[in-house]
Amino acid sequence: MNKTRFILKSLRYYYKIHIPHFLGVLLCATILTGALLVGYSVKESLREITQTRLGHITHILNSGDHFFESKLANKLKAKLHIPTSSSLLLNGVVASQGGRKRAHYVQINGVRDDFWKLSPKRTVPADWQKDSVAINEALANYLGLKCDDEVIIRIEKPSALPKDTPLSSDSEVTFGINVKITHILSQGEFARFSLKSDQTIPFNVFLNHDFLAREIEKPEQANLLLISQDKLEQQDEKKSFSLQLLNALEQSISLADRGLEIKGDSNGQLSLQSPNVFLPEVIEQLSHDHFQKSEQIFTYFVNQITSGDKSCPYSFISSLSSLSQLGDNEIIINEWLAHDLTAEVGDEITLNYYTLGDYRELNISKQSFTVKKIISNNDPVLSRELTPHYPGLSDSENCSDWDPGLPVNTDLIRDKDEKYWDDYHSLPKGIISLNQAQKLWRNRFGALSSLKFSSTAWTPKTIEHIIIKHTKASDFNLSFNVLKSQAIEESQGGVDFSGLFIGLSFFIIASALCLIALLFVFSRQFRSKESRLLLSIGFPKKWLLTSALYEGLFISVLASMGGSCLGILYCEFIIYALTHTSWQGAVGTANLQSYYSPQTLILGISISTMVSFGTIYFITKKLNAKKVAQKIILSPLKMTEQKPTLLPTILCLGIVYVIVFSGMAQYGQENSALFFGVGALHLVGLLLLTWILLRKYSTPLKENHLSFSSLGLKSCARRPLHSLAIIASLAIGVFLVISVASHQKKHSRHSLDRASGTGGFAYYAESAIPIFHNLNSKEGRYAFSLGENFHDDSFVQLSVKDGDDASCLNLNRVSQPRLLGLKSESLAHLDAFTFSQVHDKASELSSPWLALDSDLGERIIPAIGDAAVIQWGLGKKIGDELTYKDAKGQEFHIKLIASLESSLFQGSLLISQTQLRKLYPSIGGARVVLIDHLKNGNAPDKNILQDRFEDRGFNLIASSDRLERFMEIENTYLKIFLALGGIGVIIGSLGLGIMILICTYERRSQLSLLKALGFNHGHIFQLIAKEHIILLATGTFVGLSSALISSLPLLVTQPGDFPFFSCAIFILLLILVGGCAIFISSYLALKGNILRNIREE
Amino acid sequence: MNAPLLELKQVGKIYPQGEDQLQVLDNINLSLQTGEAIAISGPSGSGKSTLLNIASGLDVASSGQVIFQGSDLSHYDDEKLASFRLNQIGFIFQSHHLLQQCSALENILMPTIPLKNSNNSARALELLEIVGLKDRSNHFPAQLSGGECQRVAIARALINAPKILFADEPTGSLDSKRSMEMLQLLLSLKQSQDTSIVLVTHSDECAKHMDKTYTLELGRLQS
């Protein structure tokens, strides 16, 4: 016989005692491993989703509103010998059934065959033709579409001029294409294609690239360039490739890709222009540094030129860098104008012109000049080529055909004006200094309309060469993102579902560990005679300790291994619940799958072994703390020496009742946390009181009368700390489950409160296509037939810079959330929303909203976000910064200066609209609109609003509903906690049954004695059952009463929202299961011949 | 002559041991009159405790009858046997078997619980005084010596005024002086309570104080 044999023999002999212990560890291991597998499954699912949506794409160039030549992809392919593809990516709306059903936020993709080669399957869809139209299953299911169905796709029409410039035409912002569906794509065929880190499935339409390009009048152009280089493994290789890609791009992009063109004019000069009318800022800089000998030209369209009581409508005025001698207040006019205004040199003339405000707001300004010189209409200084091509103007045959987007009163156009247009077309009528022109008319799109070069000194090639040499692709919104690796990183860095489910399953794990501890104690006590014998023989205490630990370790390892297998089932259950039940609200997708890895299983086994063995180790150490002599002599049923004192009990309960009954704290939702603490204190106080009472019952009774109940109480008090442990675990479980249930967030559906999460707004709307009008103006309301029932500030419009959704609906960890550009005073004067935290400097202002306009330094932009987004979505806090790149690819930083409490803006960050437009000039219009209540206080008719904006793909939702959606996530997590916590507490009550079996076995000699004394079976059953019913009832009462105290704010202010029904079901279930466990276990424990024990004494 | 209070007629007890059988008691005949004290002695393993268990209803005979006041105990169900043990007999075990969580007084009152008799506290105190532990009523077994615990066990056995007191080597764990004191106590109680006594003992000194002595040897009873 050696130690190992002794341990193995003991394990075999005492196997019945070890079974409950084994089951406890099994349960613990199941939950722990299952939770780890859930976390792994979610991460792998998100990784798989990323792979599915990006296929073999590793890098992208997304130029948004800026279009480049499609052949850029072929150039890069030739240089780098890797798969590439250029395509079109636009936002649109898809309507079916004659427009009755609509899908908003549809990605409209114009693709070529090489696009499909980057898909997960790397295959072109079968029978893909030039006129094929594919949609994904999500869109098909949403609109109820199948192949051969016809749909209308409505797309924002790209325009040369940004749409919220005054000269941009406001007609035909969108246009529709009728198509017939030919394919419905599956996941492997890029059905899920999306550039956003999001687990939700987007709506996708795929058309032939050339067809779409023609429709949007951008033939042979693209705005998306996709690269596939997924053969590289090492970081160094990937970095090196990124540099290669950048170099290849710089070498490959043409003038056209940069949005530039060089034309010859009638004077034989070369002109550098842009189809977008204005030359980008980088060219302006280049003109100073490298094109000093060129002529910088800025030509603008003015409403009116007046001199005295004479006026001339709608004219072009130019400015030239070569006329440096012209003062800022001087003007050279042509003969025609001089004659029209009867102006002479030295006379004062005034220019009236529009400047751009927000949302196509036109501000009329004027500036006066002194006539310095009058030149001939044919003077070489003046030419038509000075005026860039203005859409809606330059192509018109007559003035009356003008459609420039400005309000043009054709009644003001005279015959002579028509004649001027016929003879001279867009020839400027005057010239001012370039400096003055740029001061007056500079806008975010530029401050030059062209550069002129002498053809003797310059050739197109030399001009192009200088531009290529001294600019970067990123200056023209052409830069690559390493999309795939960033996306994978974001998919892995999101919500930690392992930790989350370990937390949510906390009660099950705690119940299991409590059971393990108690069962192990009983097993050791059951074998105390054996221990005393071994010690009396002379075995060292350490020998006994290590034997016990080895037994415990053996059980822990075996049960953990078994538990990890069961953990797979637990994981399957959780994943099923997350994707097929109301728990789906926590993940926002049905596309999660179970994944397993040996490493996760081994980790689960290791953790559960450590946790369960750690519990056993701790208990064993405590049990073995007595001296050897004491262990031999003393009965194991030694009374505890710990004595509770009254003072802490009085203190705890006193504080509680003072707070509750004195009215010190208001019963409002704002004091929820305080009352939770009060409830917890009440719980502690009652447990201390219970301990005192248990100690009291362990002393002799004063009345010298013994009954079943008093004997039951004495039996509970036999081991006060054990009984207290059972009561406490039940009480804590009941307290937490009910308190948490009562703290589920609810939002008042009809809240007009400005301070609430809705800001007092009736609706929150997002459009697929921007709205360029100011909806608070007459013109804006007229454009959308909105009527007169709105206030002057009924609409708050926000511009959007697309990014990832940082709300709790997105499981990925995003690094660049969507940005919303806001005019701060629009919310400041309404005092809308409530701030949970405000940075010091922002708190000094009258409204934290105004801090969005504060200057934080070079390239640092203040931002406000939802508190949940900042903390959970981004993992940041107030004062932290995020790094973005602007339209030119230059970095800037967003600094978080304030957070909002549970608001509509979850998922995005808010910055100043001015800053947003400065950083991303091409972003125009608003795609998010907050809509207020009408003058009469009612919410506007949703259907009418939806109808008015249907061309923009308007998605309107009641503000309270949007907020509910976000709260639903939190409430879903709480529901999961309640379900799992409830199961944990009920397992704890089942544990009572196991306890009875163990206790009865341990006390068999006592029970045998009672039977010998004449107690019948019923008496003994009654005794055991009453003892444990006391424990169950006490635990339930302590937990329930404390939970009700913690829920007082809700019970007093909104009793209807307290979950009475579910709490009642929970308590009833607890009592039922606990009661059944007690009765069944009592019955089983007393089966067989109890008297045998005393006979065998 | 009055009918015996308790009578054992051709009682036998066999324990199965695998394929064999062990006959512990064989054709035991015994009768006990009211107020009579008998001693049963014999070597270790002779079946004395088995005989006591059968006579007191703690065990069931393999053959024969146990008749108490004319009723055959073998016809009693569990309920009736429990009632028999509660109301008619008292049992003193070799080891005192006191409940550790109850005081001396509470241990004595233990058999009164099923009877829901709340008036026995006076009797319990009286019994405590008789066994000489009046001042130790609130002491727990861990605070009493072995002999004191045994005395509490005696008092417990007598709380319901049993007709028969069964004692299985009650002095086994006591020294000779304490043993004699214990025996004197039992005999005085026999006199005062008119209780019959069946005493299993090794001690000839104890046995000779009984009205009758039987010897159990090889499963057979000899007077």
Side-chain angles (χ1 to χ4, degrees), chain A residues 701 1009 1011 1013 1016 1095, chain B residues 58 79 85-86 97 106:
Chain A
L701 299 172
L1009 168 73
K1011 194 88 199 266
L1013 288 177
N1016 64 28
R1095 285 203 298 262
Chain B
L58 285 176
E79 287 284 320
R85 287 196 297 274
L86 195 67
H97 284 301
E106 287 163 352

Side-chain angles (χ1 to χ4, degrees), chain A residues 698 700-701 704-706 708 711 714-715 718 1006 1009-1016 1019 1091 1094-1095 1097, chain B residues 53 58-59 78-79 82 85-86 93 97 99 101-103 105-106 109-110 113-114 118 121 138 140 156:
Chain A
S698 69
L701 299 172
N704 296 336
H705 164 67
L706 212 55
F708 281 111
L711 191 58
K714 286 189 87 62
S715 299
R718 195 168 64 96
Q1006 275 194 11
L1009 168 73
L1010 293 176
K1011 194 88 199 266
L1013 288 177
F1015 282 58
N1016 64 28
H1019 293 141
L1091 280 172
I1094 205 153
R1095 285 203 298 262
E1097 279 284 318
Chain B
N53 288 340
L58 285 176
D59 201 355
D78 265 357
E79 287 284 320
R85 287 196 297 274
L86 195 67
F93 300 94
H97 284 301
L99 293 181
Q101 68 268 34
C102 295
S103 65
L105 184 65
E106 287 163 352
L109 283 169
M110 194 62 57
I113 297 175
S118 58
S121 51
N138 286 333
F140 289 88
R156 180 183 64 192

Side-chain angles (χ1 to χ4, degrees), chain A residues 529 1001 1003-1015 1020 1089-1097, chain B residues 15 49-50 52-54 56-59 85 89-99 153 156 168:
Chain A
K529 277 188 186 167
Y1001 191 73
R1003 289 159 63 190
R1004 65 195 183 288
S1005 59
Q1006 275 194 11
L1007 300 177
S1008 186
L1009 168 73
L1010 293 176
K1011 194 88 199 266
L1013 288 177
F1015 282 58
I1020 299 173
N1089 197 340
I1090 303 172
L1091 280 172
R1092 199 168 137 185
N1093 182 263
I1094 205 153
R1095 285 203 298 262
E1096 290 168 358
E1097 279 284 318
Chain B
Y15 287 112
S49 296
T50 305
L52 211 66
N53 288 340
I54 290 171
S56 63
L58 285 176
D59 201 355
R85 287 196 297 274
I89 68 157
F91 207 112
I92 306 167
F93 300 94
Q94 187 173 4
S95 172
H96 52 78
H97 284 301
L98 296 184
L99 293 181
R156 180 183 64 192
D168 189 353

Side-chain angles (χ1 to χ4, degrees), chain A residues 808-825:
Chain A
C808 40
L809 293 166
N810 190 358
L811 298 179
N812 296 276
R813 170 59 59 92
V814 302
S815 51
Q816 296 191 344
R818 187 172 74 158
L819 296 176
L820 300 180
L822 167 75
K823 280 168 91 169
S824 58
E825 59 270 17

Side-chain angles (χ1 to χ4, degrees), chain A residues 937-1038:
Chain A
N938 295 333
D941 190 302
K942 185 179 174 184
N943 292 328
I944 291 176
L945 280 174
Q946 198 85 53
D947 185 60
R948 295 286 183 265
F949 292 98
E950 70 172 16
D951 279 359
R952 303 305 165 94
F954 215 54
N955 190 24
L956 197 69
I957 181 172
S959 300
S960 52
D961 287 345
R962 180 170 166 88
L963 217 54
E964 291 278 358
R965 244 179 84 205
F966 294 128
M967 286 181 187
E968 189 56 37
I969 306 273
E970 204 175 308
N971 286 342
T972 304
Y973 283 133
L974 287 177
K975 267 190 223 168
I976 296 173
F977 175 78
L978 289 173
L980 295 177
I983 292 171
V985 175
I986 287 167
I987 287 172
S989 72
L990 279 175
L992 263 183
I994 297 173
M995 290 286 296
I996 290 171
L997 287 168
I998 301 296
C999 286
T1000 313
Y1001 191 73
E1002 187 208 21
R1003 289 159 63 190
R1004 65 195 183 288
S1005 59
Q1006 275 194 11
L1007 300 177
S1008 186
L1009 168 73
L1010 293 176
K1011 194 88 199 266
L1013 288 177
F1015 282 58
N1016 64 28
H1017 197 89
H1019 293 141
I1020 299 173
F1021 180 91
Q1022 204 185 125
L1023 198 63
I1024 296 170
K1026 272 192 176 170
E1027 177 187 334
H1028 292 90
I1029 285 171
I1030 290 169
L1031 296 179
L1032 177 66
T1034 308
T1036 306
F1037 170 75
V1038 169

Side-chain angles (χ1 to χ4, degrees), chain A residues 474 477 859 884-892 919-920:
Chain A
S474 56
N477 202 16
R859 310 289 288 175
Y884 282 74
K885 281 190 180 167
D886 64 13
K888 292 178 199 158
Q890 290 173 6
E891 278 189 2
F892 68 94
L919 295 161
Y920 306 99

